[in-house]
């Protein structure tokens, strides 16, 4: 628990806050800004100017921890409690990551790539062109059938890492099936996207994927379509698949 003046100086703190922030928090000389990220105090105080109570989530000054404060104002002083919620925030972020990413390859999940497609459809046009590539691996079933899914999984991981590196941060790769992927090529016309996919074909066809003492060559096929406003996501994916 804490009591602070309008400037953010911590006037009083209980031992629990001292254990959380360090003994200097108990000395009556520290300021909120010494411990928490810039702007957090101004946000808390600003909220309390129009409300009797406030609840705010913020980070430590070094951005290594998350906290939540609940506070009220009276007689010019702000009083409240601070809770360390780092563990809960970290766990929630992990859950969000698992929901949005394929656990094997790290590519976006089907749900996440379809959500990105909806956004691209809504903003599609001459100013922000986009294209969708449907990616299907050739001869991949043979790897699984002859050498097992462990080998197949490792090939998929290597393949996705190669595509992500080649695509950069601007474009999105999502996995929608065992050996089927979608690539949202943002800011690219159909012609530019087709050229990029030809580059990926050459990159993948010319590479060898190694799993222990085994070596594999994997072919890849692309279907590319323009993202246009008004189309349904399922219809866009089907068009790229065809």
């Amino acid at each position: 628990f804490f009591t602070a003046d309008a400037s953010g100086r911590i006037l009083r703190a209980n031992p629990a806050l001292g254990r959380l922030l360090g003994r200097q928090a108990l000395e009556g000389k520290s300021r909120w800004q010494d411990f928490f990220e810039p702007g957090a105090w101004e946000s808390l105080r600003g909220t309390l100017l129009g409300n009797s109570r406030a609840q705010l989530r913020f980070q430590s000054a070094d951005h290594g921890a998350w906290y939540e404060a609940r506070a009220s104002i009276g007689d010019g002083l702000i009083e409240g409690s601070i809770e360390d919620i780092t563990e809960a925030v970290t766990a929630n972020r992990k859950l969000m990551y698992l929901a949005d990413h394929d656990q094997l390859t790290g590519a976006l999940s089907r749900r996440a790539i379809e959500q990105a497609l909806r956004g691209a459809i809504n903003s599609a046009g001459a100013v922000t062109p986009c294209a969708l590539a449907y990616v299907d691996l050739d001869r991949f079933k043979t790897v699984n059938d002859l050498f097992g899914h462990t080998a197949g999984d490792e090939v998929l991981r290597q393949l996705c890492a190669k595509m992500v590196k080649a695509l950069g941060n601007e474009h999105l790769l999502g996995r929608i099936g065992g050996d089927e992927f979608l690539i949202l090529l943002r800011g690219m016309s159909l012609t530019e996207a087709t050229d990029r996919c030809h580059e990926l074909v050459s990159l993948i066809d010319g590479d060898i994927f190694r799993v222990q003492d085994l070596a594999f060559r994997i072919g890849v096929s692309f279907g590319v379509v323009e993202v246009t406003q008004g189309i349904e996501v399922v219809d866009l994916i089907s068009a790229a698949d065809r």
Side-chain angles (χ1 to χ4, degrees):
F1 294 97
F2 71 93
T3 300
D5 63 18
S7 70
R9 186 164 63 95
I10 299 175
L11 304 176
R12 293 185 294 275
N14 68 342
L17 191 65
R19 290 191 295 271
L20 190 66
L21 302 180
R23 289 193 57 83
Q24 63 268 36
L26 303 175
E27 296 172 355
K29 299 177 183 179
S30 299
R31 301 174 72 243
W32 178 285
Q33 296 87 333
D34 297 335
F35 305 103
F36 305 117
E37 65 178 317
W41 176 254
E42 289 75 13
S43 296
L44 182 65
R45 187 183 60 183
T47 302
L48 287 170
L49 290 177
N51 302 275
S52 59
R53 296 181 179 277
Q55 184 172 335
L56 182 69
R57 180 174 292 192
F58 48 88
Q59 289 184 271
S60 58
D62 62 1
H63 296 278
W66 280 90
Y67 300 96
E68 187 170 82
R70 295 177 176 86
S72 60
I73 189 169
D75 297 327
L77 299 178
I78 295 175
E79 297 181 317
S81 64
I82 299 173
E83 180 183 3
D84 187 336
I85 59 169
T86 305
E87 187 174 339
V89 170
T90 301
N92 187 55
R93 285 184 170 180
K94 286 181 178 178
L95 288 174
M96 291 178 63
Y97 181 88
L98 291 174
D100 288 343
H101 292 80
D102 174 58
Q103 294 186 43
L104 174 65
T105 64
L108 292 177
S109 65
R110 181 166 195 138
R111 184 187 74 88
I113 193 69
E114 288 184 351
Q115 185 176 0
L117 279 175
R118 291 188 189 93
I121 289 169
N122 291 335
S123 60
V127 179
T128 55
C130 284
L132 174 67
Y134 192 103
V135 187
D136 195 3
L137 304 186
D138 305 327
R139 303 187 300 276
F140 180 73
K141 186 177 184 297
T142 304
V143 177
N144 280 333
D145 290 345
L146 295 181
F147 301 99
H149 288 279
T150 300
D153 288 351
E154 179 58 28
V155 169
L156 282 179
R157 278 191 286 265
Q158 292 182 28
L159 179 75
C160 283
K162 185 172 292 293
M163 285 198 290
V164 167
K165 183 178 180 180
L167 291 168
N169 297 325
E170 186 177 358
H171 311 299
L172 301 178
L173 173 69
R175 187 184 182 198
I176 62 169
D179 61 350
E180 296 168 322
F181 298 84
L182 296 177
I183 302 176
L184 177 59
L185 296 153
R186 297 185 288 193
M188 281 192 169
S189 66
L190 185 60
T191 300
E192 292 170 328
T194 301
D195 290 342
R196 176 59 64 87
C197 289
H198 279 300
E199 293 172 1
L200 289 173
V201 168
S202 299
L203 177 69
I204 295 168
D205 282 353
D207 202 5
I208 296 176
F209 299 91
R210 300 187 182 277
V211 181
Q212 296 180 354
D213 58 343
L214 302 173
F216 302 98
R217 285 190 182 276
I218 301 295
V220 62
S221 302
F222 287 85
V224 190
V225 294
E226 183 182 4
V227 177
T228 57
Q229 283 192 337
I231 191 171
E232 295 293 333
V233 168
V234 63
D235 295 331
L236 184 65
I237 295 174
S238 295
D241 186 14
R242 289 195 300 273

